[in-house]
Amino acid sequence: MVRKLLHTRYRVEDLEKTVSFYKEVLGLEEVRRHESPRGSKLVFLKTPESEELIEICEYAGSGDVKVGHDITHLAFSVDDMEAFAKHAEAKGYPLSDGPTQSKSGVFAFIDAPEGYEIELIEQQA
């Protein structure tokens, strides 16, 4: 049986642009980077309060990246949705949907450079 989720992988065509988004817009920390034996360029990122890593992979040998609409997304907690939205827009990444009030807080979405959707959640007590 499995014990723990270690990382989630997203393959992209422009590794540096995507890594820059995760670091500069979302504030993730780059943990490590290397090239796999088959030639994949890999960068592992983490959030300040999570153990699970996000692996960003560039591997031209797999062909073009085609991100399907509403197939998958990553969800991150934010302390202040309004402040985050202003920060992201100043970096060239405005919210793509929301913010929307729900019973448990406020949520919104932003699109990463290659079309992967990111959900942001400001939880309310």
Side-chain angles (χ1 to χ4, degrees):
M1 300 297 258
V2 300
R3 296 185 331 224
K4 182 178 180 179
L5 180 60
L6 300 174
H7 69 263
T8 300
R9 178 184 143 184
Y10 283 97
R11 192 170 64 82
V12 299
E13 292 181 3
D14 188 335
L15 183 73
E16 296 308 323
K17 183 175 182 179
T18 299
V19 169
S20 177
F21 167 81
Y22 280 90
K23 289 168 66 175
E24 295 177 19
V25 178
L26 299 181
L28 274 64
E29 172 191 353
E30 183 175 324
V31 175
R32 67 181 183 273
R33 70 171 59 212
H34 66 273
E35 191 167 312
S36 76
R38 75 174 188 166
S40 296
K41 296 177 183 174
L42 307 171
V43 177
F44 291 84
L45 304 157
K46 72 178 286 304
T47 61
E49 297 179 23
S50 298
E51 289 184 39
E52 178 192 348
L53 301 178
I54 298 168
E55 175 186 335
I56 305 298
C57 170
E58 180 183 280
Y59 183 60
S62 289
D64 294 341
V65 174
K66 295 179 180 118
V67 179
H69 177 70
D70 204 23
I71 298 286
T72 185
H73 73 260
L74 296 172
F76 295 97
S77 173
V78 297
D79 291 329
D80 182 332
M81 185 67 73
E82 186 177 333
F84 177 85
K86 287 178 184 177
H87 161 78
E89 187 163 6
K91 297 281 186 181
Y93 293 94
L95 298 180
S96 58
D97 186 14
T100 302
Q101 182 70 48
S102 72
K103 292 178 185 176
S104 59
V106 178
F107 67 94
F109 293 88
I110 188 171
D111 293 329
E114 307 242 358
Y116 290 108
E117 190 173 57
I118 305 293
E119 183 177 9
L120 307 153
I121 303 169
E122 178 186 336
Q123 297 173 320
Q124 295 174 339

